[in-house]
Protein backbone atom coordinates (compact mmCIF):
# COMPACT_ATOMS: atom_id res chain seq x y z
CA UNK A 1 0.00 0.00 0.00
CA UNK A 2 1.24 3.44 -0.90
CA UNK A 3 0.93 6.11 1.82
CA UNK A 4 2.71 9.06 0.19
CA UNK A 5 0.74 12.31 0.55
CA UNK A 6 -1.22 13.29 -2.56
CA UNK A 7 -1.08 16.86 -3.74
CA UNK A 8 -4.06 17.54 -5.98
CA UNK A 9 -3.29 20.25 -8.50
CA UNK A 10 -6.40 22.42 -8.74
CA UNK A 11 -7.29 24.07 -12.04
CA UNK A 12 -5.49 21.62 -14.34
CA UNK A 13 -6.25 18.20 -15.79
CA UNK A 14 -4.19 15.82 -13.67
CA UNK A 15 -4.08 12.58 -11.71
CA UNK A 16 -2.04 9.72 -10.27
CA UNK A 17 -1.52 6.07 -11.20
CA UNK A 18 -0.22 3.03 -9.33
CA UNK A 19 1.09 -0.13 -11.02
CA UNK A 20 -0.20 -3.30 -9.33
CA UNK A 21 2.10 -6.33 -9.36
CA UNK A 22 1.63 -9.98 -8.49
CA UNK A 23 5.05 -10.94 -7.18
CA UNK A 24 7.29 -9.41 -9.85
CA UNK A 25 4.80 -9.53 -12.74
CA UNK A 26 2.05 -7.03 -13.63
CA UNK A 27 -1.21 -8.15 -12.00
CA UNK A 28 -4.13 -9.36 -14.09
CA UNK A 29 -6.89 -6.90 -13.16
CA UNK A 30 -9.43 -8.02 -15.74
CA UNK A 31 -12.90 -7.16 -14.42
CA UNK A 32 -11.60 -5.15 -11.46
CA UNK A 33 -12.74 -1.62 -10.64
CA UNK A 34 -11.54 0.98 -8.15
CA UNK A 35 -13.13 3.60 -5.93
CA UNK A 36 -11.56 6.55 -4.16
CA UNK A 37 -12.78 9.28 -1.85
CA UNK A 38 -11.46 12.21 0.15
CA UNK A 39 -13.04 12.92 3.52
CA UNK A 40 -12.47 15.52 6.20
CA UNK A 41 -11.09 12.88 8.59
CA UNK A 42 -10.12 9.22 8.30
CA UNK A 43 -13.59 7.77 8.87
CA UNK A 44 -16.41 6.61 6.58
CA UNK A 45 -18.78 8.79 8.62
CA UNK A 46 -16.68 11.94 8.16
CA UNK A 47 -17.99 14.51 5.65
CA UNK A 48 -17.22 13.60 2.03
CA UNK A 49 -15.05 16.22 0.35
CA UNK A 50 -14.56 14.58 -3.07
CA UNK A 51 -15.34 11.43 -4.99
CA UNK A 52 -12.30 10.61 -7.09
CA UNK A 53 -12.70 9.33 -10.64
CA UNK A 54 -10.90 5.99 -10.67
CA UNK A 55 -10.04 3.62 -13.51
CA UNK A 56 -8.36 0.25 -13.88
CA UNK A 57 -6.37 0.03 -17.11
CA UNK A 58 -4.17 -2.98 -17.71
CA UNK A 59 -2.36 -3.53 -14.43
CA UNK A 60 -2.65 0.07 -13.22
CA UNK A 61 -5.14 1.87 -11.01
CA UNK A 62 -5.51 5.59 -11.61
CA UNK A 63 -7.34 8.61 -10.25
CA UNK A 64 -7.96 11.54 -12.56
CA UNK A 65 -9.69 14.88 -12.53
CA UNK A 66 -10.36 17.68 -14.95
CA UNK A 67 -9.58 21.33 -14.37
CA UNK A 68 -13.32 22.01 -14.12
CA UNK A 69 -13.90 19.27 -11.53
CA UNK A 70 -11.01 20.48 -9.39
CA UNK A 71 -12.11 24.12 -9.43
CA UNK A 72 -15.27 23.01 -7.62
CA UNK A 73 -13.24 21.68 -4.67
CA UNK A 74 -13.63 23.98 -1.67
CA UNK A 75 -11.30 22.13 0.70
CA UNK A 76 -7.56 22.44 1.23
CA UNK A 77 -6.79 19.18 3.03
CA UNK A 78 -8.31 15.86 3.97
CA UNK A 79 -7.76 12.12 4.22
CA UNK A 80 -8.37 9.68 1.43
CA UNK A 81 -7.92 6.25 -0.02
CA UNK A 82 -8.23 4.31 -3.25
CA UNK A 83 -9.63 0.77 -3.02
CA UNK A 84 -9.32 -2.05 -5.58
CA UNK A 85 -12.60 -3.96 -6.05
CA UNK A 86 -12.68 -7.49 -7.50
CA UNK A 87 -15.13 -8.62 -10.22
CA UNK A 88 -17.53 -9.91 -7.53
CA UNK A 89 -17.80 -6.35 -6.13
CA UNK A 90 -15.74 -6.98 -3.00
CA UNK A 91 -12.96 -4.64 -1.84
CA UNK A 92 -9.70 -6.59 -1.96
CA UNK A 93 -6.83 -4.12 -1.60
CA UNK A 94 -6.09 -0.60 -0.43
CA UNK A 95 -3.97 0.85 -3.25
CA UNK A 96 -3.31 4.19 -1.58
CA UNK A 97 -4.25 5.78 1.75
CA UNK A 98 -3.13 9.01 3.33
CA UNK A 99 -3.31 12.78 3.43
CA UNK A 100 -4.59 14.92 0.60
CA UNK A 101 -3.68 18.55 -0.02
CA UNK A 102 -5.21 20.77 -2.68
CA UNK A 103 -2.72 23.06 -4.37
CA UNK A 104 -4.76 25.92 -5.91
CA UNK A 105 -3.69 27.67 -9.08
CA UNK A 106 -3.43 31.44 -9.16
CA UNK A 107 -3.38 31.98 -12.92
CA UNK A 108 -6.77 32.68 -14.51
CA UNK A 109 -6.93 30.77 -17.79
Amino acid sequence: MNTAPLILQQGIDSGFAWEIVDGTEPADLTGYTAKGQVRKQESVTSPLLADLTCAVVGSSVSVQWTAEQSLAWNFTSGRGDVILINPAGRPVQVIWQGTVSVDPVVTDV
Side-chain angles (χ1 to χ4, degrees):
M1 171 179 52
N2 190 314
T3 59
L6 289 188
I7 299 174
L8 308 182
Q9 297 288 308
Q10 191 175 34
I12 61 169
D13 296 338
S14 193
F16 292 92
W18 299 272
E19 183 74 18
I20 309 303
V21 295
D22 184 5
T24 59
E25 298 296 317
D28 179 4
L29 300 180
T30 303
Y32 283 70
T33 59
K35 183 172 184 176
Q37 295 182 329
V38 179
R39 294 187 177 270
K40 188 172 183 176
Q41 298 173 347
E42 193 172 16
S43 168
V44 297
T45 60
S46 182
L48 179 66
L49 301 175
D51 267 316
L52 301 174
T53 302
C54 297
V56 176
V57 178
S59 60
S60 293
V61 175
S62 68
V63 294
Q64 302 169 348
W65 58 89
T66 65
E68 294 78 17
Q69 288 171 320
S70 68
L71 288 172
W73 296 335
N74 59 5
F75 66 97
T76 57
S77 65
R79 301 283 301 178
D81 58 23
V82 175
I83 307 291
L84 185 63
I85 301 166
N86 72 13
R90 298 197 48 85
V92 292
Q93 184 177 349
V94 177
I95 304 302
W96 170 83
Q97 181 177 29
T99 60
V100 175
S101 298
V102 175
D103 186 15
V105 297
V106 296
T107 301
D108 184 17
V109 179

